[in-house]
Amino acid sequence: MTLSHDIKMAALSCLQILLMIGMLVTGSINTLSKKAQNDCKVKGYKSDEHSFDHPWFQTWIMFIGESLCLLGLCIHRRRELQAYRKLVTENESLMVQTATDITPPVHARILQPIILVPTLCDLVGTSLAGIGLLYVDASVWQMLRGSIIIFAGILSKIFLKRKLKWSHWLGMMLVMVGLVLVGCSSVFKNQNHKTNGGKALIGILLILGSQIVSASQMVIEETFLKGRCLHPLHVVGLEGSFGVVLMSLVVLPAMYFIPGSDVQDKYENSVDALYQISNSPRLLLFCLFYLSSIAFYNYFGLAVTRSLTAVHRTLIDACRTIMVWGLDMLIYYALDKNFGEPFDKTYGLLQIDGFLFLLIGTGLYNQLLDLRNFVPCCVFPSEELQNVSHDPGRHSNIQDVSFSEEEVSDDENTRLLKGKR
């Protein structure tokens, strides 16, 4: 191996590390900036100072961020065309006959009406999660989003006829235990803090409901989009574009005219949201952080999945939860007590236990952990040995166990499509 090859491998490794850091940082900014918007108290439209409680408006901002992925798609397609032209030019200079064997890249048309179906799921799921975030801390919100494993696994078995192994079921059970612990810690903690336990419970139920919708979105995307050869940036960008149109022309106007508890007795007053943003540079900065983090998180998530594996992405998501929780407490104790969250000495350990159960359950579900390594007294026959026992002709070709991409993560194709939020 030459020195130049060693340098090239080192550079590739550095690039992968940067991609992972980018995904971790932008994902954490995504959650923290959204919660920081809710904690801002700003004067609005013909009203005194009040909190920025506009979850549907935040969904509109999210869709704008997703629509920016179409710019990334255009850049990606341009690079493919440039690489094709360069290859054709190089072959023409050497041998004209081989140039005809090179096929140009095939790009699907931009407008795909079928994307409207998952867009509606994205709209409902994100808005429900945004409403739930009003009543719980950012760390709890981030942990509860891990429940998507349970719903995605069950729905994929029912509608996609996917086989779930014992490790999947055990992982889902541990995730469920973790959700109960995290939910109880949030309810008990908020009984003595700024929100009561009843509102915290409502927030938890809304977040879990949003994950059911998001899991349904995954199944729908895999059902309708499989075989269409659509680039993930194409899908995310179109969902964002369709979402911006739906929110601007239908949802936000409807929310404005439906009676509710928002400013001027509206269900959600988007005019008030715009006034609040214009009256507070800090709130405007949080909104811009949220918008840009959506676009970059999708890019980094896709790059990590393609450059590394879905396993790395799962680990990054776990680190994202830790980072959100740590930064939230750092902001509260070191910067501003109006933002972030304190560590609850009474029920904080319950939340830590819940997070550990979520982490172990996620690891089992995604084949990151093998219980055979933790039970030395028992002997578990590996899948390869079981296959050999049923097919003696394979005994000469025994190899190390290596899971395919589909076995490593049941929703791998969907994770390519949805790396967001």
Side-chain angles (χ1 to χ4, degrees):
M1 185 177 292
T2 62
L3 179 61
S4 60
H5 187 266
D6 290 338
I7 296 175
K8 184 178 180 180
M9 291 296 292
L12 179 62
S13 178
C14 291
L15 176 61
Q16 292 173 340
I17 292 174
L18 289 175
L19 290 175
M20 294 173 68
I21 293 175
M23 181 182 173
L24 177 62
V25 171
T26 54
S28 301
I29 291 175
N30 185 342
T31 302
L32 292 172
S33 60
K34 187 172 184 178
K35 183 60 176 178
Q37 294 172 40
N38 298 337
D39 292 335
C40 287
K41 291 186 177 181
V42 185
K43 187 175 181 180
Y45 178 67
K46 297 181 180 179
S47 61
D48 297 329
E49 286 189 356
H50 58 279
S51 299
F52 187 82
D53 297 340
H54 301 286
W56 295 91
F57 187 86
Q58 288 176 319
T59 303
W60 181 70
I61 297 176
M62 181 209 70
F63 279 131
I64 294 177
E66 287 185 3
S67 63
L68 295 179
C69 290
L70 287 180
L71 297 177
L73 176 68
C74 294
I75 296 173
H76 172 75
R77 289 186 171 183
R78 184 171 178 270
R79 288 179 177 175
E80 281 188 338
L81 289 174
Q82 288 177 342
Y84 166 73
R85 291 167 184 157
K86 182 180 179 181
L87 187 60
V88 170
T89 303
E90 291 176 352
N91 279 271
E92 286 179 346
S93 62
L94 298 175
M95 187 181 298
V96 179
Q97 291 82 359
T98 59
T100 57
D101 298 333
I102 304 173
T103 58
V106 179
H107 294 152
R109 57 188 176 88
I110 293 293
L111 188 61
Q112 299 283 339
I114 194 65
I115 303 296
L116 274 170
V117 180
T119 299
L120 293 173
C121 294
D122 198 4
L123 189 156
V124 175
T126 303
S127 299
L128 289 177
I131 298 173
L133 185 58
L134 296 174
Y135 305 122
V136 299
D137 293 324
S139 62
V140 174
W141 184 80
Q142 188 65 47
M143 292 179 191
L144 291 176
R145 285 168 62 87
S147 62
I148 195 171
I149 286 179
I150 299 174
F151 306 125
I154 294 175
L155 292 177
S156 65
K157 180 173 178 60
I158 295 174
F159 295 103
L160 302 179
K161 307 303 179 183
R162 183 164 289 151
K163 294 182 179 179
L164 297 180
K165 303 176 183 178
W166 65 268
S167 58
H168 295 137
W169 291 110
L170 180 59
M172 289 190 291
M173 290 176 60
L174 291 177
V175 167
M176 190 177 298
V177 174
L179 293 174
V180 172
L181 294 176
V182 171
C184 290
S185 69
S186 179
V187 172
F188 296 155
K189 178 172 64 176
N190 284 298
Q191 286 179 345
N192 300 320
H193 287 75
K194 54 186 178 181
T195 58
N196 58 46
K199 289 185 177 180
L201 181 59
I202 292 174
I204 291 170
L205 294 177
L206 287 172
I207 296 169
L208 295 179
S210 73
Q211 297 311 291
I212 295 176
V213 177
S214 297
S216 303
Q217 179 183 351
M218 290 182 175
V219 174
I220 290 172
E221 284 177 339
E222 187 166 349
T223 302
F224 288 100
L225 303 182
K226 195 172 184 179
R228 291 178 177 265
C229 299
L230 297 179
H231 194 277
L233 288 176
H234 190 178
V235 177
V236 176
L238 265 187
E239 286 185 7
S241 301
F242 286 149
V244 170
V245 174
L246 287 174
M247 294 295 296
S248 302
L249 300 182
V250 180
V251 178
L252 290 182
M255 296 296 175
Y256 183 83
F257 290 105
I258 294 176
S261 59
D262 202 0
V263 175
Q264 295 185 328
D265 298 326
K266 312 291 185 183
Y267 184 81
E268 179 160 329
N269 194 329
S270 298
V271 176
D272 178 69
L274 292 172
Y275 266 86
Q276 285 187 291
I277 293 174
S278 63
N279 290 334
S280 173
R282 182 165 58 179
L283 178 58
L284 174 61
L285 187 63
F286 290 149
C287 292
L288 292 177
F289 275 147
Y290 180 59
L291 188 151
S292 57
S293 67
I294 291 292
F296 282 106
Y297 181 70
N298 279 280
Y299 167 76
F300 284 122
L302 171 63
V304 166
T305 306
R306 288 197 163 185
S307 178
L308 297 168
T309 64
V311 173
H312 293 86
R313 189 162 180 171
T314 303
L315 293 174
I316 294 172
D317 281 335
C319 295
R320 176 186 173 188
T321 302
I322 299 174
M323 190 170 182
V324 167
W325 197 2
L327 289 177
D328 227 18
M329 289 190 293
L330 179 64
I331 292 171
Y332 180 85
Y333 289 109
L335 299 178
D336 191 341
K337 293 188 181 298
N338 293 321
F339 298 90
E341 63 176 282
F343 181 79
D344 189 83
K345 297 179 181 179
T346 306
Y347 301 107
L349 292 178
L350 194 62
Q351 186 174 348
I352 293 176
D353 293 337
F355 171 71
L356 292 177
F357 272 99
L358 288 170
L359 194 62
I360 296 172
T362 303
L364 284 173
Y365 186 89
N366 290 284
Q367 308 289 335
L368 298 179
L369 298 176
D370 191 344
L371 287 184
R372 291 173 294 187
N373 297 327
F374 301 94
V375 189
C377 299
C378 300
V379 178
F380 297 89
S382 65
E383 292 185 13
E384 294 250 334
L385 292 179
Q386 290 175 350
N387 293 333
V388 170
S389 63
H390 288 88
D391 187 3
R394 294 182 54 197
H395 70 277
S396 59
N397 295 320
I398 298 177
Q399 299 176 348
D400 292 336
V401 177
S402 59
F403 296 100
S404 64
E405 288 187 11
E406 183 178 358
E407 289 173 322
V408 170
S409 176
D410 282 339
D411 55 346
E412 169 69 12
N413 293 328
T414 307
R415 291 190 183 193
L416 280 173
L417 296 176
K418 304 298 288 180
K420 61 198 173 210
R421 301 171 309 284

